[in-house]
Amino acid sequence: MGIQPDYATQLSYLNYICANSTAVCLKSNVICITIALLVFCTSSIYGQGYYFRHYQVENGLSHNTVHCIVQDKEGFLWFGSKDGLNRFDGVTFKIFRPDPADSTSLGNNFVYSLHVDPKGTLWVGTREGVYRYNAKTESFRFIKSTGWSDVRDITSDKDGNLWFILGLRLYRYNELKDSIPVRINSIDIELSTVCVAPEGQIWTSGTDGRLLQYHPDTDSFEGYNVFNETVPIVSKWIGKLYATDKEQILIGTAHQGIKLFDIASRKYIDVVTHNADNSIVYGRDFVHYGGDEYWMATESGVYIYNIRDGSLKNLRKQFNDPYSIADNAVYSLFKDKEGGVWAGTYFGGVNYFPHQYASFQKYFPGSTYNNISGNAVRAMCEDQYGNLWIGTEDGGLNKLEQSTGKITHYLPGGNRSTLSYTNIHGVQAIGNELWVGTFEHGVDVMDIRTGKVIRHY
């Protein structure tokens, strides 16, 4: 492609070709903006991209399957994986695994659940029991009588009680009062997850499809069937409950998507049950992003849900976009102290969506309506209608309609009304005409309104 000029030269030349009606370009002065085109405009750009950073095994993560995420009072991020507990300081990972020679090490390397209580203590739920982390000594204390099964969910209430699901049973543990966890024995069905509502109510879910409120004063449960208005399904498994600040509970199911339960009315609605391809949505986790917006982790990527107007947006892995989420099987979500969202996936490690300050939108090569046709961008200009024209050296010409985000591709077609060559070196809009300078194939003049070439020099 020739010698690359420095960044200042590139900017100067880019301004030059967009400010002049014609451009004579030398091959040695190529400007290549590869992989992504970054656009920053004062005019309206369709949507705002969701760009994730990826942290995987090659970056120091112990395993690419991440089940749970929390942040402690010191600011460290903790990731529970299939092979160890990871502490992340923003640069490096420290991994905690079982050490047979150290009785204070983590006793099991399969971490299902994590929780930081109001006092700042980190609790770790593993395949074999619950552990309390001591930040001063970086050691773990095993909670007695919990090592016989997996711990799939942990939370705490305002009274200092720890609540967790151990072996599909609900337990309560108070470090100051109880030497061992107390099993809640008033119900004999299997339970899958637990949450505490802002008002203090304890909610859990039965594997029979009921949402259950626990009443400590009577040691009893009050149940609500959240599958009673649907056709029979294979399983009524509920994998996650998330209490919002609006007196509602988001419910993630395995075979009927995501539901929203209203605590006051005791009624529910189905938020989303099927994907666009009619496959079933498997809901796994939730986080409140801000305002009316909640993020929902599923086996089909992340759904962004507006709890007020009911709108949904689905973020999925895009194979030609290195900034998309790395894997569609999203198991966990967490919002950090800076407002960024962390997403733990099954195959793609941890993905981080930082709090957005800049209004940059990225465009990548592809054949769809919002992809550009090439990856070596040489020239750009804006016409009187607000369209941005993008000339590439390897994929012809693109028109970006900034009001809608739609991108139209223009390529040679072997006739006089199409471009003469795919390698574009300069573009300039003059009224209703777009002048297109090609490499070694002259200049085409296109009618902007029709998209057809009307003259060639």
Side-chain angles (χ1 to χ4, degrees):
M1 296 295 290
I3 300 172
Q4 297 293 318
D6 59 34
Y7 185 63
T9 304
Q10 292 183 9
L11 286 180
S12 176
Y13 187 69
L14 183 62
N15 290 331
Y16 170 78
I17 63 172
C18 287
N20 294 276
S21 59
T22 58
V24 178
C25 305
L26 299 177
K27 188 67 175 179
S28 61
N29 289 329
V30 168
I31 299 174
C32 292
I33 307 173
T34 60
I35 304 301
L37 167 65
L38 294 167
V39 181
F40 183 80
C41 300
T42 55
S43 58
S44 173
I45 292 182
Y46 179 76
Q48 176 62 42
Y50 292 86
Y51 307 122
F52 292 88
R53 302 173 193 168
H54 304 152
Y55 297 93
Q56 299 178 344
V57 170
E58 55 265 36
N59 306 114
L61 191 68
S62 65
H63 197 281
N64 278 345
T65 298
V66 177
H67 290 112
C68 48
I69 306 169
V70 294
Q71 186 174 27
D72 65 23
K73 63 181 180 180
E74 304 299 330
F76 291 111
L77 272 299
W78 293 84
F79 308 120
S81 80
K82 268 189 173 182
D83 183 24
L85 177 63
N86 299 256
R87 189 184 71 188
F88 185 52
D89 61 10
V91 179
T92 59
F93 291 89
K94 181 169 184 176
I95 301 170
F96 298 88
R97 290 191 179 99
D99 182 356
D102 183 1
S103 61
T104 66
S105 69
L106 189 65
N108 189 274
N109 65 346
F110 197 116
V111 180
Y112 271 120
S113 53
L114 293 169
H115 176 66
V116 176
D117 67 21
K119 294 181 180 179
T121 302
L122 173 67
W123 299 88
V124 184
T126 72
R127 179 176 276 175
E128 296 178 341
V130 180
Y131 293 80
R132 182 189 188 277
Y133 176 67
N134 187 320
K136 292 183 179 179
T137 60
E138 295 191 350
S139 61
F140 296 86
R141 178 171 65 84
F142 173 65
I143 306 304
K144 295 178 182 179
S145 301
T146 66
W148 58 276
S149 190
D150 52 6
V151 182
R152 291 183 175 271
D153 207 0
I154 308 176
T155 189
S156 57
D157 62 25
K158 58 181 177 17
D159 298 321
N161 296 307
L162 195 72
W163 298 83
F164 54 89
I165 301 294
L166 171 64
L168 299 180
R169 293 291 186 267
L170 179 63
Y171 285 80
R172 182 187 65 236
Y173 175 65
N174 191 303
E175 195 171 18
L176 300 178
K177 299 178 182 179
D178 307 315
S179 59
I180 60 173
V182 177
R183 178 180 168 182
I184 306 302
N185 292 311
S186 62
I187 193 167
D188 198 32
I189 66 168
E190 294 182 328
L191 304 174
S192 54
T193 182
V194 61
C195 75
V196 178
E199 296 75 20
Q201 307 107 317
I202 308 299
W203 291 87
T204 184
S205 58
T207 56
D208 61 354
R210 285 189 295 162
L211 186 62
L212 302 157
Q213 182 182 357
Y214 176 63
H215 299 284
D217 51 343
T218 60
D219 190 31
S220 63
F221 286 86
E222 186 178 2
Y224 305 91
N225 189 340
V226 293
F227 291 86
N228 61 340
E229 297 180 7
T230 56
V231 296
I233 54 176
V234 175
S235 168
K236 295 180 180 179
W237 175 267
I238 296 173
K240 189 68 177 179
L241 299 179
Y242 182 90
T244 76
D245 59 1
K246 302 180 184 298
E247 300 268 342
Q248 295 170 316
I249 297 175
L250 285 162
I251 305 169
T253 76
H255 289 271
Q256 208 168 77
I258 295 164
K259 302 171 182 288
L260 182 67
F261 180 81
D262 185 78
I263 295 175
S265 68
R266 309 293 179 169
K267 296 181 179 179
Y268 77 92
I269 61 170
D270 289 318
V271 174
V272 57
T273 58
H274 291 80
N275 298 298
D277 60 3
N278 208 36
S279 59
I280 295 171
V281 172
Y282 190 135
R284 288 200 174 273
D285 200 8
F286 308 94
V287 74
H288 183 203
Y289 184 72
D292 296 313
E293 186 175 301
Y294 288 81
W295 286 35
M296 309 186 298
T298 77
E299 287 283 338
S300 318
V302 173
Y303 275 91
I304 298 177
Y305 174 53
N306 187 300
I307 205 167
R308 178 180 53 83
D309 62 24
S311 61
L312 288 165
K313 184 184 300 181
N314 190 200
L315 308 182
R316 293 201 181 203
K317 177 180 175 64
Q318 303 295 325
F319 290 95
N320 63 339
D321 182 353
Y323 293 94
S324 72
I325 199 160
D327 180 31
N328 285 332
V330 184
Y331 274 49
S332 54
L333 292 169
F334 183 81
K335 182 180 176 182
D336 66 24
K337 296 176 182 178
E338 294 182 351
V341 175
W342 297 83
T345 70
Y346 194 81
F347 294 109
V350 180
N351 295 247
Y352 181 51
F353 175 71
H355 182 72
Q356 297 296 286
Y357 296 102
S359 56
F360 278 93
Q361 179 79 13
K362 298 182 178 68
Y363 295 91
F364 299 91
S367 58
T368 64
Y369 78 98
N370 59 351
N371 292 115
I372 59 173
S373 59
N375 70 353
V377 176
R378 175 60 184 254
M380 293 184 288
C381 75
E382 188 175 22
D383 65 26
Q384 62 181 347
Y385 303 105
N387 300 310
L388 190 68
W389 293 88
I390 305 158
T392 73
E393 293 207 10
D394 58 340
L397 183 66
N398 301 263
K399 180 181 72 174
L400 168 61
E401 297 176 19
Q402 297 186 67
S403 60
T404 65
K406 178 183 178 182
I407 298 178
T408 304
H409 305 152
Y410 298 91
L411 294 163
N415 57 69
R416 292 179 177 272
S417 64
T418 61
L419 293 178
S420 57
Y421 202 48
T422 56
N423 191 335
I424 310 300
H425 273 222
V427 290
Q428 179 61 39
I430 305 174
N432 287 320
E433 294 183 345
L434 182 74
W435 289 63
V436 183
T438 70
F439 175 67
E440 297 281 338
H441 285 73
V443 175
D444 294 320
V445 181
M446 177 184 288
D447 186 317
I448 291 174
R449 295 164 298 185
T450 65
K452 296 183 180 299
V453 172
I454 55 176
R455 295 193 302 278
H456 176 75
Y457 299 97

